[in-house]
Amino acid sequence: MDMSQYLEVFIDESKEHLQTINEQLLELEKNPDDVSIVNEIFRSAHTLKGMSATMGFEDLANLTHQMENVLDAIRNGKISVTPELLDVIFRAVDDLEAMVVSISEGGDGKRDVTEVVAQLKQIEKGDVVVVPQKSSSTYEQTYDEFEYTILKQSAEQGFHSYEVTIKLRSDCLLKAARVFMIFEVIEQIGEVIKSVPTVEMLEAEQFDDQFVVTVVTKVSQDELQKRIMKVSEVEEVNVQSVDLRRSVEQDKPLEQKEEPKVEQKTVEQVVDKKQENQEEKTTGKQVSNKTIRVNIERLDVLMNLFEELVIDRGRLEQISRELNNPELHETVERMSRISGDLQNIILNMRMVPVETVFNRFPRMVRQLARDLGKKINLEIIGAETELDRTVIDEIGDPLVHLLRNAIDHGIETPDVRRAKGKPEEGTVKLKAYHSGNHVFIEIEDDGAGISREKVLKKAISKGIISEQNAANLTDKQVYELIFASGFSTADKVSDISGRGVGLDVVKSTIESLGGSVSIDSEEGVGSIFSIQLPLTLSIISVMLVEIQKEKYAIPLSSIIETAIVKKEDILHAHNQKVIDFRGKVVPLLFLKDIFEVPVVKEDDDFLSVVIVRKGEKMAGLVVDSFIGQQEVVLKSLGNYLTSVFAISGATILGDGQVALIVDCNALIK
């Protein structure tokens, strides 16, 4: 019997069952005596085992069977639930996820799981299982998706990535002090991305004589080796280049491993969610006839066809205005209304709840909290908020990093929190909500907050700002500095947070999606990172303007307002023309000079100015005249024109003319 036709359904359903198992295991940790949770996990594992066996994936079926035996023993009260037992089950789930990903990428789903199977059998017998730590001689660096991204981006920017194995003399007395000195040396010439064992273990001297660090630097291998060897009591330094082609499977949660193949992606359309949720609660059965799986590629084609329709709609509206025929006018208006409704439906079909990204975080937070010896409660609010599929695919990495940042730098250890009069358990809130044409995602923690003095001190030492400017900055502007490249306020190096190499990556990723990120913080109370994202990326509202004989489009999301300014009101400051706009000094940018537009007509005594904003910064874009607001389709300029300054794309207007879309972020920078 040919099973290949069922493969896609098998992969999708396996992922859903594994997600359920992950979520329910986290619940079980909070309520270890709740048998109903164990039953729920058992049901998902049992279904997964049956599906795997039917499809012929024996390794997957065998490991699930072994896990099922342990769950059955818990269910019958033979074994009690402990964090150590859950660690082993989580490891088994990681292996199952890796197998499913292997199958989805065309592999056979085979994996060496003898160690975890042996541990599960021990648990089943009632023995206490201690998850073995890797011995110091066999440290091996594995990178999660975020660290892997940093290493790749560093390589693209001309940095070298090295794995440095450092061995201290066996008679070394103050190992932690030596480690600190070694990190100091590395910091002068590069950045530490990861260390094994973790920095906390190194500081507590919980290692034998050697450890491994991954370093990003511009110096050569020999130079790095010489510098570290200068630290006394270092016996041996071995520097190897990082192989960026190495698999990142071990550390990668399932949902982060989206398949590159378009065919595998499907979007579920929920016809009537509320009704379905009610029915599921009452009957406990899955309602399958309410949803239909649609290949994402088909939705992309549908979107492209609709974009062409929007262009023709604009053309028809213009012809109708020119001919001034009432019947044509009426028909075109009606068509515009219907196509507007159609646009909403198509955009909604591409929408996916952010829960698909948020689902992977509780498990990650649990692991980080255990690694760092902290108590953390993750609250997720608004997971049903929907975002365009293209945005969802990109937003995972920045959120992972901001969460790690909150857990590592933000939340303090239980003893520090006690001393400050806070509850031992820190709270991290992950919240998503709609507002206008945007989705906001906020990450809030009740940790230590950001120290203004520490940030300024670091920024001045790195040469990001001068001491004179530092005194004039508002708190919000100071917090923005932590998004500068290579910035970190960590007192000690940590392999969890990526050492500040990543916040600039977070900012650039979000801005590339047409979004923005801001920080609000109070020292000792906590911080809020707020991300603003557009609902969709392809159809945008713009203000059409004219510069000489050319037309340009400025996205409405960047515009504060428009103004008419007299020439005599223009002031000069630091060789820059500026205006006084509502008590603020706003620099003027003459688009005709920036885009080298051929001059055809003379200037008036009045200037038309579009005031735009990016974060706290503002600028006035000088144009010749305003045409009006319009919805346009954003088309890319193609591969040949990727590096055009301050132009993010183009659109075709109703009269067939091409208008370039201005990238306000690049202009303000």
Side-chain angles (χ1 to χ4, degrees), residues 466-666:
S466 63
E467 289 203 36
Q468 292 82 7
N469 292 347
N472 303 326
L473 295 179
T474 64
D475 283 355
K476 221 163 170 69
Q477 286 168 327
V478 171
Y479 303 147
E480 293 285 326
L481 293 174
I482 69 172
F483 286 117
S485 183
F487 191 93
S488 174
T489 52
D491 294 328
K492 53 185 190 234
V493 180
S494 157
D495 65 313
I496 302 290
S497 64
R499 287 221 22 94
V501 183
L503 281 181
D504 57 325
V505 178
V506 168
K507 191 176 173 72
S508 59
T509 305
I510 288 165
E511 285 181 356
S512 71
L513 293 169
S516 61
V517 58
S518 62
I519 309 171
D520 210 0
S521 181
E522 192 178 332
E523 198 169 350
V525 178
S527 312
I528 300 178
F529 285 77
S530 183
I531 297 171
Q532 178 180 338
L533 292 162
L535 275 178
T536 182
L537 297 179
S538 50
I539 296 175
I540 58 170
S541 294
V542 295
M543 166 77 138
L544 283 179
V545 297
E546 206 162 27
I547 303 167
Q548 298 294 332
K549 293 274 183 184
E550 295 180 7
K551 288 177 183 168
Y552 288 82
I554 301 170
L556 278 185
S557 56
S558 302
I559 299 175
I560 306 173
E561 64 178 285
T562 55
I564 306 287
V565 178
K566 285 183 187 168
K567 273 202 174 163
E568 58 257 34
D569 290 345
I570 296 176
L571 313 166
H572 287 78
H574 307 294
N575 296 328
Q576 165 85 56
K577 289 183 177 179
V578 297
I579 54 169
D580 178 356
F581 175 73
R582 305 195 192 287
K584 281 189 179 173
V585 176
V586 176
L588 290 180
L589 299 172
F590 289 79
L591 292 187
K592 68 166 186 262
D593 300 335
I594 292 169
F595 297 135
E596 298 171 10
V597 179
V599 176
V600 183
K601 49 193 178 192
E602 290 301 308
D603 286 353
D604 294 334
D605 294 336
F606 294 92
L607 298 179
S608 302
V609 181
V610 181
I611 310 284
V612 294
R613 173 170 62 192
K614 171 186 179 255
E616 294 292 308
K617 296 179 187 168
M618 290 160 67
L621 309 182
V622 179
V623 300
D624 286 337
S625 62
F626 310 125
I627 299 170
Q629 181 185 337
Q630 200 172 325
E631 277 200 338
V632 299
V633 176
L634 178 62
K635 296 277 188 190
S636 80
L637 296 176
N639 297 338
Y640 295 112
L641 299 170
T642 46
S643 56
V644 179
F645 172 69
I647 296 292
S648 57
T651 187
I652 301 167
L653 301 175
D655 55 4
Q657 277 187 312
V658 171
L660 296 176
I661 294 167
V662 178
D663 180 358
C664 299
N665 289 351

Side-chain angles (χ1 to χ4, degrees), residues 149-168:
T149 307
I150 287 180
L151 292 173
K152 273 174 70 177
Q153 288 182 344
S154 303
E156 285 162 14
Q157 290 166 15
F159 287 85
H160 306 295
S161 303
Y162 299 123
E163 271 177 19
V164 188
T165 308
I166 300 159
K167 190 172 185 189
L168 301 176

Side-chain angles (χ1 to χ4, degrees), residues 34 39 42 105 217 229 277 386 404 512 554 576 580 632:
D34 191 338
N39 287 335
F42 187 86
E105 288 170 355
T217 177
M229 281 302 284
N277 287 347
E386 294 187 328
R404 290 178 156 205
S512 71
I554 301 170
Q576 165 85 56
D580 178 356
V632 299

